[in-house]
Amino acid sequence: MSLKGKTLFITGASRGIGLAIALRAACDGANVAIVAKTATPDPRLPGTIQTAARAVEEAGGKALAIAGDIRFEEQVTAAVAACVERFGGIDICVNNASAISLAGTEAIEMKRYDLMQQVNARGTFVVTKSCIPHLKRAAN
């Protein structure tokens, strides 16, 4: 199945697995909303929403770079609305954004634990909930 003309809403798409998914979809000619916090370069991590958008377009897709933090419902709602306005809907939602700590339980500070829960559980829920009305209308 080709993703040509399909619209993907991908969180955490400025680098890593999210970017890889975006680039694969772009090779088919998909529309990709790149949703991530990284709008300005971070010396610790490569990639921004703008560099990802350029890569998607170079690979043959159409891109929309959206800066946002999935922990905040109003930012997710605005990102979904921007995607729908630009591409006319959402066919696929990819909840890729995450926060992780590879430390052992005793070493993880509660601030880090709270961040992981807010991103991995709450953020994923907010993104899914916001995308569902558009996914229900998608042909697939």
Side-chain angles (χ1 to χ4, degrees):
M1 178 180 134
S2 173
L3 296 173
K4 183 173 181 59
K6 298 290 185 187
T7 297
L8 287 78
F9 187 91
I10 307 175
T11 65
S14 62
R15 63 180 62 90
I17 294 170
L19 178 57
I21 294 167
L23 293 175
R24 173 56 188 88
C27 289
D28 278 359
N31 305 315
V32 182
I34 297 160
V35 184
K37 292 190 311 182
T38 311
T40 57
D42 183 328
R44 298 168 296 164
L45 299 167
T48 66
I49 57 173
Q50 294 87 1
T51 59
R54 279 194 298 277
V56 163
E57 294 192 349
E58 289 170 3
K62 294 180 183 170
L64 175 62
I66 304 171
D69 187 330
I70 66 168
R71 294 176 295 167
F72 303 106
E73 184 177 12
E74 65 280 357
Q75 290 184 34
V76 172
T77 301
V80 168
C83 178
V84 170
E85 181 179 326
R86 170 78 180 274
F87 297 124
I90 297 172
D91 298 293
I92 300 166
C93 172
V94 179
N95 280 296
N96 173 70
S98 67
I100 190 169
S101 175
L102 300 176
T105 300
E106 295 175 321
I108 296 175
E109 296 178 11
M110 288 310 298
K111 181 179 178 181
R112 183 65 182 177
Y113 175 82
D114 290 341
L115 173 67
M116 291 188 298
Q117 294 304 311
Q118 291 167 357
V119 173
N120 300 343
R122 185 181 198 283
T124 297
F125 180 83
V126 170
V127 169
T128 301
K129 182 176 180 176
S130 298
C131 287
I132 284 175
H134 306 286
L135 295 170
K136 285 183 172 182
R137 289 191 284 276
N140 54 299

